Amino acid sequence: MRPHRMDGVSLTFGLIFLAVAFWWAVSQVLTVNLPPVGWIVAGGLIFFGVVGLLGAIRSGRREPQPEPVAAPATAEVPGDLPPEVHASIVRELLDDPARKFEREHPAG
């Protein structure tokens, strides 16, 4: 198995799962009086907000990417054709076949 970068989201949800499982195990042994469920939900939302802020701050500290270097533009003519011949071939390919047929076979 290849080692890979740690995934913060997976780690966070894994820790939350372990905390819930631990809380369940403790509540089976001890009687724990919990505050109203609304406070637990609010605490969870605050926790996720703090984790999100820390992730946003951490992601902003990456090294800047180097700017791409512009390469000089060069016109490359395929094969051994001079530019004039190449231009005439392109013009012929772009010409409308109907007009070309009319020029070669005039109606008469």
Side-chain angles (χ1 to χ4, degrees):
M1 181 188 245
R2 285 184 349 201
H4 59 282
R5 264 186 36 218
M6 183 180 69
D7 181 16
V9 175
S10 298
L11 177 65
T12 302
F13 281 104
L15 290 175
I16 290 171
F17 178 78
L18 286 176
V20 169
F22 178 73
W23 189 262
W24 176 82
V26 168
S27 69
Q28 295 297 314
V29 176
L30 304 172
T31 302
V32 182
N33 292 326
L34 291 176
V37 177
W39 285 107
I40 295 173
V41 171
L45 290 174
I46 291 170
F47 174 75
F48 282 122
V50 169
V51 169
L53 285 174
L54 292 176
I57 291 170
R58 184 172 163 249
S59 69
R61 294 185 181 177
R62 294 187 180 151
E63 294 181 16
Q65 296 292 328
E67 292 293 323
V69 179
T74 58
E76 188 174 317
V77 179
D80 296 334
L81 298 176
E84 297 83 21
V85 174
H86 179 69
S88 69
I89 292 172
V90 171
R91 260 187 258 113
E92 184 178 333
L93 289 172
L94 294 175
D95 193 17
D96 185 20
R99 285 192 284 148
K100 182 178 177 182
F101 184 79
E102 288 173 0
R103 278 195 311 258
E104 293 176 359
H105 305 286

